[in-house]
Amino acid sequence: MIARILILLSGVLILASCQSDSTRRNTADAQIEKRIDELISRMTVEEKIGQTNQLTVYGTTEELCEKIRNGEIGSLLNVVDPADINTLQRAAVEQSRLGIPLLIARDVIHGFRTVFPIPLGQAATFDPALVEQGARIAAIEASAAGIRWTFSPMLDISRDPRWGRIAESAGEDPCLTSAMGAAMVKGYQGEGADDPTSVAACAKHFVGYGASESGRDYNSTNLTERQLRNVYLPPFEQAVRSGAMTLMTSFNDNDGIPSTGNRFLLEEVLRNEWGFDGMVVTDWNSAGEMVSHGFAADTKDAAMKAINAGVDMDMMSHVFSLHLEDLIDEGTVDEQRLDEAVRNILRVKFRLGLFENPYIDTARIARVTYAPEHLEAARRTAEESAVLLRNEGGILPLDASALRSVLVAGPMADAPAEQLGTWTFDGEPDHTVTPLAAIRAAYGDRLRIGYNPVAAYSREKVTAAKLAAFTAQAASYDAILLFVGEEAILSGEAHCLADLNLQGSQSELIAAARRSGKPVVTVVMAGRPLTIARDLANTDALLYSFHPGTMGGPALIDLIFGNAVPSGKLPVTFPVATGQIPIYYARNMTGRPAAGNELLLDEIPVGAGQTSLGCTSYHLDAGFGPLFPFGFGLSYTTFKYADLQLDKETYLPTETIRASCRLTNTGKRTATEVVQLYVRDRVGSTVRPVKELKAFDRITLEPGQSRTVEFELPAEDLAFWGLDMQKRVEPGTFDLWIAGDSQSGNSVTFTIN
Ligand code: GLC
């Protein structure tokens, strides 16, 4: 056995472990650590390497069982049949030398069988308790299939709707994303990880992936450490603090370093600063792809860089199983690093109770999937996730008693698979309740309901004749309900768009409906913000539903006919035009902020002399502001914010700011408002955003009812990583808003000494 020595490779410091025993003991059950120590002491290097190897199910069950019996596999993904899982698990537990159970994983991103709105839609609820319930239900259904690890929550801050994966995110804001991520972690992992319905969460993609240049997936990112620390890392830190058992490295190279080989992230930040004692898995083949990045010379170099950066498990690149033994024999990788990786993996398996309960009761899945309470939770989430963006003349809610007929139209009106959205591997479209099915069930006995998709799918281009015929048909109905948007496949991983206008002839379809002269209600079902500015003039009302899942139909019909009131708020900014991207509310002021009165393209005099026009920061053809700001959403009532006040004018960094305002429902319907608290640090050692969300709450009021809404904001929540790259609350003057979105409301000022 070649003497193993610690070798200092230039630029790659190989550390056996950055977790002191005491940290491990403090954060993990000492009993589990003892069992890990005992098991590791009996493992061969080959068996240790086997634990670091994650494969997707392939070939025949017998082929897989053979590799499992030999101790070559630690985890499998994409097997969802409980009987198959038991067979594979038996090979590990009863037929391998050490009987270490497999960790069975799956992308359960927004539900398993019962599909909830895509995470971007869930974020629009601003309702962490509801999102936690959804994750709990996903865990109950997935664990019934034998899945005990999900690759969720996705916590990538996403400020670029060209990027298809914005659908899986909680949007652009670190505070909202942190709240949603913590809720999902708690929901997935439940009361105790060893509960058979508990599923290990996986905070992904660590880190910065949402800033992929040009919104093109897998592209490079160029975030400074300060941006990482102030914007992109906080949701992951919150997930770790919430007990997330695993993390996944991201595909992107940031500042030239692929995350899968970034020791600063995986050891310095994750282990040393945050004390994370769970397991780090790579994204699919991202270890091997470091060769393509040009960061590793070959797969052996990639294996060395991944394991030494702090990766514990390799998803599907095989580099660990191919090269780790040689790397250890050569002394390029210290076996202690391998031991640490195996400890982290075994710790997850012990915590999940897999050694005690490795098998699944195959009868359980039939009992739990599509349970009525699951479907109701999915419906309620779809209802709360819908955002009312336009309601001219208060056309919504429709009064069914005042109507005789309604024409339901558009390619998304009865599209059960598209409605489920991206990353829906196990949702079953035949369980989807579409808007067409929902309106027929609820109003078929009293309304003449017509149906015309006009286009078979969102991208289909239809003829002018077909649109004209639709206009004529629509004129014979009392109201038109249009359902447009995106097919699910146009959203999600690797599905990025350079143009965000509605696909196909959908904008023409909305215009054709307008020409009927009848009231038009448009529902957009999509996986991202779309540039709908040109469509707004052609619809009286517009409801935005981020792919709402299994129960999207009943939720939307309830909202349209007033059985429910919209409360959703935008988790991401809607641009006027794609060219404005990236556009987000927590922007910097710049030295020349737009005044809002700048000349736009058509206002510039012909032959104008060479000037710098407004001398401010804006686009001649799109202006400065968004179409709809972060946090925006209308209701069927109106709310008044008044009496904004603080308990003091000056605070110490260790104190708590108590802010309150008087919220009144000034309309005619009981409704829920998402009240948002924003802060601005006017002057910092580095430039600070014009606003940052720091808290929010859902407040339900009856017509005429008022309530004093109170927030307690620890001053330490205003800390940021400043010029000296230390996180601290800097003294100075701050503005504070409590409002219904990121652009409205009055502010009060306070100072921190
Ligand atoms: C994919 C995704 C990741 C997912 C993994 C397993 O490429 O990037 O989010 O969890 O592979 O399917």
Side-chain angles (χ1 to χ4, degrees):
M1 182 79 73
I2 298 170
R4 288 192 174 84
I5 56 172
L6 200 61
I7 295 177
L8 200 64
L9 293 182
S10 59
V12 178
L13 188 65
I14 303 159
L15 293 179
S17 157
C18 294
Q19 285 180 324
S20 68
D21 282 337
S22 62
T23 304
R24 275 215 308 269
R25 292 288 178 278
N26 292 340
T27 56
D29 171 9
Q31 183 55 32
I32 285 180
E33 293 305 305
K34 203 154 43 174
R35 294 177 70 184
I36 291 172
D37 291 344
E38 189 281 327
L39 190 46
I40 282 209
S41 69
R42 290 190 286 131
M43 293 174 79
T44 65
V45 169
E46 294 80 0
E47 286 164 333
K48 292 176 184 176
I49 294 169
Q51 286 301 306
T52 70
N53 190 27
Q54 181 183 60
L55 298 180
T56 191
V57 163
Y58 71 96
T60 65
T61 302
E62 185 40 40
E63 274 176 278
L64 268 180
C65 286
E66 191 53 29
K67 290 177 83 70
I68 293 166
R69 290 187 199 103
N70 296 336
E72 297 174 41
I73 300 175
S75 171
L76 284 170
L77 62 152
N78 299 331
V79 52
V80 294
D81 176 90
D84 290 347
I85 289 171
N86 280 342
T87 300
L88 296 163
Q89 198 66 285
R90 196 162 290 110
V93 173
E94 299 172 23
Q95 300 157 20
S96 75
R97 188 177 77 87
L98 293 168
I100 300 173
L102 295 165
L103 193 45
I104 303 296
R106 180 71 162 174
D107 291 281
V108 183
I109 305 302
H110 50 108
F112 184 63
R113 293 276 189 253
T114 303
V115 178
F116 284 70
I118 56 174
L120 191 60
Q122 294 189 40
T125 68
F126 282 71
D127 190 343
L130 186 59
V131 168
E132 179 178 341
Q133 183 190 9
R136 185 86 291 271
I137 287 166
I140 288 167
E141 292 190 355
S143 61
I147 294 157
R148 298 299 308 277
W149 184 17
T150 180
F151 299 128
S152 174
M154 189 268 217
L155 301 176
D156 299 307
I157 295 298
S158 306
R159 296 174 166 177
D160 191 333
R162 294 171 296 183
W163 190 48
R165 304 201 75 166
I166 195 170
E168 305 166 56
S169 80
E172 70 184 57
D173 180 73
C175 173
L176 179 60
T177 299
S178 298
M180 291 295 145
M184 286 185 174
V185 168
K186 289 173 197 153
Y188 288 134
Q189 297 182 177
E191 288 313 309
D194 58 353
D195 177 320
T197 68
S198 166
V199 171
C202 182
K204 74 182 187 183
H205 307 80
F206 196 59
V207 71
Y209 184 23
S212 297
E213 270 190 344
S214 83
R216 183 157 47 82
D217 208 354
Y218 316 118
N219 204 358
S220 300
T221 60
N222 291 290
L223 300 168
T224 64
E225 182 185 342
R226 187 172 292 113
Q227 285 173 308
L228 288 175
R229 292 213 182 258
N230 286 329
V231 177
Y232 292 86
L233 286 169
F236 287 92
E237 183 174 8
Q238 180 56 56
V240 167
R241 303 260 178 259
S242 301
M245 295 169 77
T246 72
L247 259 79
M248 180 187 293
T249 62
S250 59
F251 285 123
N252 57 301
D253 61 292
N254 187 61
D255 190 19
I257 305 170
S259 301
T260 303
N262 191 326
R263 206 179 70 78
F264 166 73
L265 291 176
L266 302 181
E267 291 289 349
E268 176 52 39
V269 173
L270 187 56
R271 303 286 181 185
N272 294 353
E273 291 181 24
W274 298 352
F276 179 62
D277 70 349
M279 181 249 284
V280 174
V281 65
T282 71
D283 202 339
W284 189 291
N285 193 32
S286 66
E289 286 168 8
M290 289 198 285
V291 177
S292 168
H293 275 287
F295 187 74
D298 52 33
T299 52
K300 185 174 181 181
D301 190 31
M304 184 268 286
K305 285 177 174 157
I307 192 82
N308 286 330
V311 166
D312 299 317
M313 184 176 279
D314 164 34
M315 183 194 294
M316 278 306 288
S317 86
H318 311 283
V319 296
F320 284 1
S321 51
L322 286 171
H323 302 297
L324 270 190
E325 190 167 358
D326 290 345
L327 288 164
I328 288 171
D329 285 347
E330 294 159 13
T332 313
V333 170
D334 190 295
E335 189 170 350
Q336 276 192 298
R337 172 71 270 275
L338 174 60
D339 286 356
E340 191 60 32
V342 176
R343 282 179 189 285
N344 294 332
I345 294 164
L346 293 177
R347 192 172 296 122
V348 171
K349 293 185 175 183
F350 275 115
R351 282 179 172 169
L352 286 171
L354 287 174
F355 284 83
E356 288 71 29
N357 297 299
Y359 304 118
I360 184 71
D361 166 6
T362 55
R364 201 167 108 208
I365 190 162
R367 292 198 300 269
V368 300
T369 48
Y370 302 120
E373 62 272 23
H374 296 183
L375 294 172
E376 172 50 23
R379 187 204 62 75
R380 198 171 138 230
T381 308
E383 178 186 294
E384 288 193 16
S385 69
V387 185
L388 182 61
L389 296 178
R390 180 181 173 85
N391 191 16
E392 283 306 288
I395 184 182
L396 285 180
L398 296 180
D399 176 357
S401 64
L403 297 171
R404 295 182 307 278
S405 62
V406 170
L407 178 59
V408 175
M412 297 297 284
D414 194 38
E418 312 312 338
Q419 181 175 313
L420 297 180
T422 186
W423 284 105
T424 305
F425 288 143
D426 304 297
E428 297 164 319
D430 54 2
H431 283 263
T432 302
V433 185
T434 64
L436 179 65
I439 190 172
R440 283 175 170 163
Y443 295 96
D445 59 348
R446 57 190 120 153
L447 290 177
R448 176 167 68 90
I449 297 171
Y451 171 55
N452 180 356
V454 185
Y457 54 96
S458 69
R459 287 166 289 162
E460 188 184 17
K461 297 198 186 327
V462 298
T463 63
K466 196 166 190 180
L467 291 168
F470 168 68
T471 299
Q473 177 190 21
S476 64
Y477 285 84
D478 292 343
I480 320 302
L481 298 188
L482 275 180
F483 294 87
V484 297
E486 287 184 307
E487 298 146 68
I489 194 63
L490 304 183
S491 169
E493 181 173 353
H495 303 156
C496 305
L497 293 168
D499 178 337
L500 298 177
N501 287 336
L502 280 170
Q503 295 287 337
S505 302
Q506 296 182 109
S507 287
E508 291 77 3
L509 173 59
I510 299 170
R514 167 58 84 216
R515 288 194 292 272
S516 72
K518 295 301 177 70
V520 178
V521 174
T522 300
V523 176
V524 180
M525 285 193 212
R528 55 165 50 94
L530 295 171
T531 45
I532 54 174
R534 65 180 184 172
D535 305 304
L536 292 176
N538 290 325
T539 184
D540 299 290
L542 192 137
L543 202 55
Y544 216 89
S545 174
F546 297 100
H547 287 135
T550 302
M551 298 300 285
L556 290 166
I557 295 305
D558 276 346
L559 289 165
I560 288 168
F561 285 93
N563 303 318
V565 179
S567 62
K569 298 279 188 174
L570 293 180
V572 61
T573 299
F574 272 55
V576 169
T578 306
Q580 287 184 308
I581 295 168
I583 181 170
Y584 49 94
Y585 86 92
R587 59 185 168 75
N588 291 346
M589 184 61 90
T590 78
R592 294 193 175 186
N597 57 5
E598 288 79 9
L599 289 181
L600 296 180
L601 204 64
D602 299 338
E603 298 162 332
I604 299 168
V606 175
Q610 179 58 54
T611 71
S612 300
L613 290 174
C615 284
T616 58
S617 176
Y618 78 113
H619 291 100
L620 295 179
D621 53 352
F624 169 74
L627 183 64
F628 297 108
F630 173 88
F632 178 80
L634 298 173
S635 173
Y636 292 156
T637 192
T638 49
F639 290 98
K640 188 180 85 174
Y641 288 76
D643 305 336
L644 173 59
Q645 50 191 296
L646 303 175
D647 62 334
K648 295 198 299 182
E649 290 184 358
T650 303
Y651 300 88
L652 294 173
T654 53
E655 290 186 306
T656 293
I657 297 135
R658 289 176 175 77
S660 66
C661 79
R662 190 80 178 149
L663 182 71
T664 303
N665 177 342
T666 49
K668 298 183 174 56
R669 297 185 63 105
T670 298
T672 299
E673 170 76 335
V674 175
V675 180
Q676 302 153 51
L677 184 147
Y678 295 90
V679 172
R680 181 187 182 192
D681 182 349
R682 286 189 185 175
V683 178
S685 61
T686 54
V687 170
R688 304 297 298 132
V690 297
K691 262 183 196 180
E692 291 181 291
L693 180 73
K694 291 297 180 185
F696 55 87
D697 199 358
R698 290 172 58 88
I699 305 291
T700 301
L701 296 175
E702 294 178 359
Q705 186 183 5
S706 290
R707 184 187 304 172
T708 298
V709 183
E710 296 175 329
F711 289 101
E712 292 195 351
L713 175 64
E716 67 189 9
D717 284 4
L718 304 177
F720 70 99
W721 294 76
L723 190 61
D724 60 359
M725 280 310 288
Q726 293 301 311
K727 184 177 182 181
R728 62 165 65 90
V729 180
E730 294 185 3
T733 302
F734 293 75
D735 299 309
L736 183 145
W737 294 258
I738 298 179
D741 65 58
S742 60
Q743 260 183 197
S744 60
N746 301 316
S747 63
V748 290
T749 300
F750 64 91
T751 57
I752 289 187
N753 288 335

